[in-house]
Each structure stands twice: as C-alpha cells, then as structure tokens.
Amino acid sequence: QVQLVESGGGLVQAGGSLRLSCAASGNIFSINDMRWYRQAPGKQRELVAGITKSGTTRYTDSVKGRFTISRDNAKNTVALQMNSLKPEDTAVYYCNADVMPSAIILYSYWGQGTQVTVSS
C-alpha cells in the first residue's frame, strides 16, 4: 500500500509564491516519474510539471519560467515551487507518482489534492 500526501496549498495574492510538497510512503521498491497536475473548476485535469527519476523535467507552457519541480529520491518527495502566481493558477493541485511496490509491479498513485487560490 502506497500513500501520497500533499501539503503547502493556500491563499496567496497575485505575484506571490507558494511551495507545494508531496511525500510518498508505504511499500515502495522504486519511484519512477513524479508529476503535479491541477484541476480548476469546470476544467479538465491538466499536467503541470513532471520529473523523471534522474531529474529530467517538463512543464506545461503556461507555467514555464515560473514553476520549478524537484524531487528528493532519498526522502521519496517531490516539490513544486510556484513563483509569480496568477489568478489562472487557481486550482486543486494533485501529486501523482509511478511507484513500483515490488520489482515487477508499476502503478500510478494519486494524492488527495491541495487547494491553491490566487487572488487578483
């Protein structure tokens, strides 16, 4: 059993910053890709950023230059540093990770989500 727990969400003014974190725990043999998604009211869930086990990153165009994803493989955590926040960044942010609970199984796990609200 694997659990992902997000933290760091909240209310911030436009132009401000927040740092989200996600910790994985449980039966973990290995973690491959880790990602942050977000979903705004009435919109589809969107991939915001991803990072491979070796540290290769990718971002959706709307957050490039403002957000930074990072991970700590020793702690099984992934973080999303969000700077220069805009009202359109308002959404529930979800942590997602491809976890191997054993050497022969890979499963995608999701956190419960954390609310980020950016006021104008």
Side-chain angles (χ1 to χ4, degrees), residues 10-52:
L11 175 64
V12 66
Q13 292 183 328
S17 298
L18 285 174
R19 183 177 177 87
L20 307 182
S21 64
C22 172
S25 61
N27 297 326
I28 299 174
F29 177 81
S30 179
I31 302 178
N32 293 343
D33 289 4
M34 305 184 82
R35 311 172 190 90
W36 286 97
Y37 286 79
R38 67 186 180 188
Q39 188 166 26
K43 296 185 178 180
Q44 294 186 4
R45 189 167 297 187
E46 171 191 31
L47 176 62
V48 177
I51 184 167
T52 69

Side-chain angles (χ1 to χ4, degrees), residues 67-82:
F67 291 11
T68 303
I69 188 171
S70 61
R71 65 189 287 169
D72 186 332
N73 292 335
K75 297 181 179 179
N76 290 330
T77 60
V78 61
L80 185 68
Q81 179 67 46
M82 304 186 294

Side-chain angles (χ1 to χ4, degrees), residues 65-117:
R66 301 188 298 120
F67 291 11
T68 303
I69 188 171
S70 61
R71 65 189 287 169
D72 186 332
N73 292 335
K75 297 181 179 179
N76 290 330
T77 60
V78 61
L80 185 68
Q81 179 67 46
M82 304 186 294
N83 298 326
S84 301
L85 283 162
K86 304 174 180 179
E88 50 262 45
D89 295 319
T90 295
V92 177
Y93 284 71
Y94 296 91
C95 177
N96 169 253
D98 295 336
V99 179
M100 298 182 69
S102 72
I104 60 172
I105 297 175
L106 178 68
Y107 190 81
S108 184
Y109 292 88
W110 292 86
Q112 293 300 117
T114 184
Q115 177 71 48
V116 172
T117 302

